[in-house]
Every structure is written in C-alpha cells, then in structure tokens.
Amino acid sequence: MTELITVSKEDYLKAILESESEGKTVFPAVLAHWLSVSAPAVTMAVKRLKRDGYVEVKADGILRLTQKGRETATKTALRHHLVERMLTEIFGMEWYQIHDEAEHLEHAVSPAFEAKLIERLGDKGLCPHGNTVLPETPAQRAKRGHILLSAAVEGAEYNVVSFYERDPKLLVFLHQLGFAPGGRVRVLKKNYDQTLSIETSAGATVLGQMAAEKVWVKRRISR
C-alpha cells in the first residue's frame, strides 16, 4: 500500500529541497521564516519527519533529506511545476498570480492526473517564473551567464531570466514595475543607498536591493 503523507510534511520537505537546490544551508529557523510558522511548530514537525525517516538532523543542527524524503519532496516539486504551467499554458493565468494557487492545488494532484499533465506539458522546461522544476544553484546559473539584478552593471541592458517565486506580493510588485519573464531591464544608475535606478517597459523607476536580489538576469549583447 502506498504510504500517505500529510500536506504539512510535503510543504516542509519541498522547502528543504528547494533551499538545498539553491545552495542554502537549512536550519529550523530557515524553515520557520520560509513557511511563516512558529519555531515550536517547526521543532515538532522536524521531530516527526526525523521519526518517519524523511530527514536527518546531525550535531551541526543542519536538516538533510534522506533518500525517502528527497523522493517525496521531488514529487511535490514536480506537481507544483506542472500545476503552474497548467494554470498559464492551458487556463491563461498571469505569471505573477499562480504561485499561491499552485501551492494549494499541488496536494490534490493524483498520480493519474499528474501523468496526464506530463503527457500534455512534459516534465522538463521552465515554469512561468522562468525556473526549472528544482531551483538551480547560483553556480549553475553563473555557468549560463545569469546574475542577480543587484549585481548588474550600471548602464547595461539585460533580459530577465527568472524570479524568486515564493513571495507572491513581490511578484505582483515586480509586475507593476514592468518586469516580466523574458522582458528587458536597463540599469540606469547604481545609487549610493544600494537602490537601482532602472528602466523597464513601464518606464523609469527605483528598485530596492531586496527586490533586486530576487531577479535573475542575463546581459544583452549589442549587435
């Protein structure tokens, strides 16, 4: 019989997997911030995950997925990816609207429905935010010439590659400033207070460092 897993466990495991994929060290405090839950709630969840064989917690306090935990988390991440693509490619929802929807719907996807989505959409490709099923590490992105907008060169023009997608309010904010996957952004000036004066399809504006660190770009080559 297939072992069932609660939604809360899936959320914790996916968060650990995504954090690891992005090259971050996962401590309980990171999960509390990431999932917007209390420290005691994380402590209890980690105990259950460890008891059930999904995670290991060693003397350094770092959370690591077991093979069982990694397999479960990867399945959840794939369902999230497929649901996001379904919402945009089939139902026409906007890229900045779909993350929370997918967070809820990913848990309701049956194996049969998942198979149909893979048949229709494939299990590779990019989500509407420009990300692969599992986030790439900064080193992997660097090999493809991707940098964070916060590290962009003054006076240069870039193509937007992808966004940090786990903050829905940030995605709406960036959309309102004229950002979009595949869109263009020019860095007009790097300001003393670490903000960026930029120009997008919506015109000139100023972007704070926190937001600039959530946007991956690639420099446009002049022809």
Side-chain angles (χ1 to χ4, degrees):
M1 181 177 178
T2 301
E3 182 176 6
L4 298 179
I5 181 166
T6 64
V7 168
S8 60
K9 281 185 180 178
E10 289 182 337
D11 289 335
Y12 277 103
L13 294 173
K14 181 159 68 79
I16 295 171
L17 180 69
E18 290 175 342
S19 189
E20 286 182 349
S21 298
E22 294 176 357
K24 297 181 176 66
T25 301
V26 188
F27 290 98
V30 172
L31 290 182
H33 174 72
W34 199 321
L35 298 172
S36 299
V37 295
S38 68
V42 172
T43 298
M44 291 183 63
V46 169
K47 285 182 179 179
R48 292 196 300 269
L49 293 170
K50 183 179 179 181
R51 178 198 67 196
D52 296 340
Y54 291 103
V55 301
E56 294 178 344
V57 186
K58 302 205 174 167
D60 57 10
I62 298 173
L63 306 180
R64 296 175 176 86
L65 293 172
T66 63
Q67 184 62 32
K68 176 183 176 181
R70 188 169 303 280
E71 289 174 357
T72 301
T74 301
K75 288 178 182 178
T76 306
L78 175 59
R79 291 199 300 268
H80 181 92
H81 178 88
L82 291 169
V83 170
E84 284 194 332
R85 291 187 59 197
M86 175 188 73
L87 291 173
T88 53
E89 296 177 33
I90 298 177
F91 293 105
M93 287 187 69
E94 297 290 348
W95 65 271
Y96 55 88
Q97 298 175 323
I98 60 170
H99 179 75
D100 273 0
E101 292 285 349
E103 284 288 290
H104 297 298
L105 293 174
E106 68 190 32
H107 303 296
V109 174
S110 68
F113 187 33
E114 179 182 328
K116 285 295 183 182
L117 288 175
I118 291 174
E119 181 182 321
R120 175 73 177 269
L121 303 170
D123 60 356
K124 308 296 182 185
L126 301 176
C127 79
H129 307 103
N131 297 312
T132 53
V133 175
L134 294 181
E136 295 177 293
T137 65
Q140 289 172 322
R141 291 180 184 272
K143 287 181 180 179
R144 298 201 287 134
H146 300 175
I147 64 169
L148 290 171
L149 181 56
S150 57
V153 177
E154 187 174 294
E157 187 173 20
Y158 297 83
N159 284 332
V160 176
V161 176
S162 65
F163 300 99
Y164 176 92
E165 64 181 84
R166 286 178 294 279
D167 185 345
K169 291 182 180 179
L170 173 65
L171 296 177
V172 172
F173 172 71
L174 292 172
H175 161 69
Q176 292 170 341
L177 294 184
F179 283 89
R184 298 184 185 184
V185 56
R186 179 181 292 277
V187 178
L188 303 175
K189 186 178 180 182
K190 303 190 78 169
N191 302 312
Y192 177 77
D193 60 358
Q194 297 187 310
T195 61
L196 297 178
S197 296
I198 61 171
E199 185 177 53
T200 68
S201 61
T205 189
V206 175
L207 189 69
Q209 183 181 25
M210 184 189 76
E213 290 176 345
K214 305 299 185 183
V215 183
W216 287 91
V217 297
K218 185 173 184 177
R219 189 163 183 174
R220 289 179 56 82
I221 300 175
S222 302
R223 296 184 181 280

